[in-house]
Amino acid sequence: MPQEALVQEEDLGLLVDLYELTMIQAYWAEGMNERATFSLFFRSLPQGRNYMLACGQQHVARLVTQLRFGERQIDKLRSLNLFEEGFLEWLAGFRFSGDIHAVQEGTPVFPQEPLLEVEAPIAEAQLLESLVMNYVHLETVLASKASRLVNAAQGRGVVDFGMRRMHGIDAAVRGVRAYHVAGLTGTSNVLGSVTHGLSAQGTMAHSYVQAHGKEDDALLAFARHYPGTTLLVDTYDTVAAVKRLIERMAEDSSLDIGAIRLDSGDLEYLAKTCRHLLDEAGHQDIKIIASGGLNEHSIRELVVNEAPIDGFGVGTSLGASSDSPCLELAYKLTEYAGEPRLKHSPGKHSLPGRKQIYREQEADGSYRCDHLTLRDEQAPGTALLQPIVLQGDFQEAAMASPDAAREASLDSVSRLPPELRSLVETRTYHVTISDRLHACRRLAESRLGLPPDD
């Protein structure tokens, strides 16, 4: 069969684990169609993270409202010889009819807090499990990594160079959306840029320099092709290349060079040396960009040591989130037919009921703590979970634009206690659980004959 490069939107209904379909058929056969609530959350932070930046949940909510099973998809399911014709007919008429409440994209979140909750007839809600988890997992992991890089850069721009080492082309494109929300200033990924509105940025590869007989010829030719461009100066001898470039600019005042890029070697030493050479020659306006195996810790060290670097390009450590590439997201049933439900397995407990998160602030606007409550409770602070889908209809007014999500994200992260934004300190943010939510948990445990989970 010919292989398609990307999952087509019409096939998203098949982006499920098999057990979702077999369970749904069993629900259908048993006539179980009461309303259920499923909560998407994580129980613990990955190592080295003080918060996660929620991303992808509003994006996938829109897709959920468009989910369909066409004739071709039904034929593919029929070929598995697992499903009754009546059930396949039910799938052919599938339309999501429920509600989804979600936090705004770019919101810092903590253990046990729902990134979203789905409320719908149980078969509809169950069908969404893997699709929702995939979208939210990828974009949350990448946005969280990008947020750390933005914190480390302390106002200097950070550009995504990670496409070539990401885990698949779908991830490379969707990642750019997460980077935009988290506050990156650009991406080298052209498709990601034009799809998600993040500035396309780039320079040249070493091969361009190598292909020319002389390094100077390559740099000058590129500068004439692209006025204001960034030139890669480390193919052979960085300092020597910058010195010759300064000489050429003295000979030709029409040359317009926006920046030089350092991609190897001792970046602090080279940045300080090149900055001195450029400033001494009157080129204070030419910026210095650094790349080459960078992560948030090496960027922080360069910033702390006052390396005169104006921006950073980050590849592998960003695109693969190499220090912490996964988040143990869970999508758990918390209510069915009006009764609280929970999971009680050791180390995998869940909280029952439909929930809300209230974020309380100090007088100066910084975040004090969160209150995790049942949905119909009131608590100090701002309610974070808001309806994004109602009765199957996507609420366009509730969806922030990419730029608005970016601004809200940067503002929210800036309001976290400084220790939580640190790359070297670990601190637990205080999340209270309301008395009514505790009581709901005890009620669910008693109905199941389980010992209290204290």
Side-chain angles (χ1 to χ4, degrees), residues 9 12 22 31 50 60-61 63 69 74 142 172 181 232 238-239 255 274 289 324 333 343 369 372 380 427-428 439 449:
E9 189 169 303
L12 286 177
T22 54
N50 289 331
V60 77
L63 291 177
F69 289 85
I74 295 297
L142 294 180
V181 170
L232 185 63
T238 301
V239 174
L255 285 173
C274 292
I289 308 300
S324 190
L333 179 68
K343 184 174 180 179
C369 65
L372 186 56
R427 175 185 160 178
T428 300

Side-chain angles (χ1 to χ4, degrees), residues 124-399:
E124 295 183 27
Q126 188 76 69
L127 179 66
L128 307 183
E129 178 177 3
S130 295
L131 179 67
V132 165
M133 292 182 73
N134 178 277
Y135 265 79
V136 177
H137 179 270
L138 174 72
E139 296 188 29
T140 295
V141 166
L142 294 180
S144 301
K145 180 67 171 183
S147 180
R148 288 169 61 82
L149 292 162
V150 170
N151 288 340
Q154 292 294 298
R156 299 160 181 82
V158 180
V159 177
D160 156 43
F161 283 0
M163 172 172 59
R164 62 191 62 186
R165 294 191 179 93
M166 290 184 72
H167 298 159
I169 55 178
D170 177 65
V173 176
R174 283 171 49 200
V176 174
R177 183 176 181 278
Y179 304 150
H180 194 160
V181 170
L184 263 60
T185 53
T187 177
S188 66
N189 181 338
V190 174
L191 180 57
S193 169
V194 298
T195 302
H196 297 302
L198 187 60
S199 171
Q201 297 184 27
T203 54
M204 55 167 65
H206 292 102
S207 57
Y208 183 84
V209 176
Q210 293 169 293
H212 288 72
K214 294 182 179 179
E215 184 176 29
D216 294 8
D217 293 341
L219 299 180
L220 295 177
F222 205 79
R224 291 187 179 110
H225 284 308
Y226 305 104
T229 192
T230 298
L231 298 178
L232 185 63
V233 295
D234 76 319
T235 304
Y236 305 118
D237 182 323
T238 301
V239 174
V242 171
K243 287 180 177 178
R244 292 197 304 274
L245 191 61
I246 290 171
E247 292 173 1
R248 290 301 187 99
M249 286 189 288
E251 297 169 1
D252 185 352
S253 60
S254 68
L255 285 173
D256 180 8
I257 297 168
I260 60 170
R261 176 177 153 213
L262 311 175
D263 192 53
S264 59
D266 185 334
L267 295 177
E268 180 186 342
Y269 165 77
L270 290 172
K272 289 178 177 178
T273 301
C274 292
R275 183 75 275 158
H276 173 74
L277 291 170
L278 290 167
D279 289 353
E280 192 175 53
H283 298 296
Q284 293 87 350
D285 57 329
I286 294 180
K287 299 183 185 314
I288 297 177
I289 308 300
S291 59
L294 294 174
N295 58 33
E296 61 266 46
H297 300 290
S298 54
I299 289 175
R300 176 181 176 276
E301 183 177 0
L302 289 166
V303 170
V304 168
N305 291 340
E306 299 182 347
I309 295 173
D310 301 287
F312 303 94
V314 184
T316 304
S317 72
L318 171 61
S321 187
S322 50
D323 66 317
S324 190
C326 62
L327 174 65
E328 290 296 327
L329 276 178
Y331 182 85
K332 296 302 177 186
L333 179 68
T334 62
E335 186 175 282
Y336 179 64
E339 295 186 1
R341 307 292 168 124
L342 52 71
K343 184 174 180 179
H344 200 268
S345 306
K348 292 190 174 183
H349 297 187
S350 61
L351 294 169
R354 298 179 302 126
K355 289 176 281 296
Q356 182 57 274
I357 308 163
Y358 290 92
R359 182 150 291 167
E360 188 175 358
Q361 298 183 3
E362 302 284 3
D364 63 1
S366 62
Y367 295 145
R368 173 185 295 168
C369 65
D370 288 359
H371 304 281
L372 186 56
T373 73
L374 292 173
R375 181 75 57 75
D376 60 356
E377 288 190 75
Q378 296 293 319
T382 302
L384 300 186
L385 284 163
Q386 298 296 327
I388 190 73
V389 176
L390 290 174
Q391 297 181 348
D393 291 328
F394 186 76
Q395 306 298 296
E396 291 287 349
M399 180 71 170

Side-chain angles (χ1 to χ4, degrees), residues 401-422:
S401 70
D403 288 340
R406 172 195 184 90
E407 292 304 314
S409 165
L410 292 170
D411 178 67
S412 293
V413 171
S414 74
R415 294 176 185 274
L416 291 172
E419 302 90 335
L420 266 69
R421 287 179 273 124
S422 170

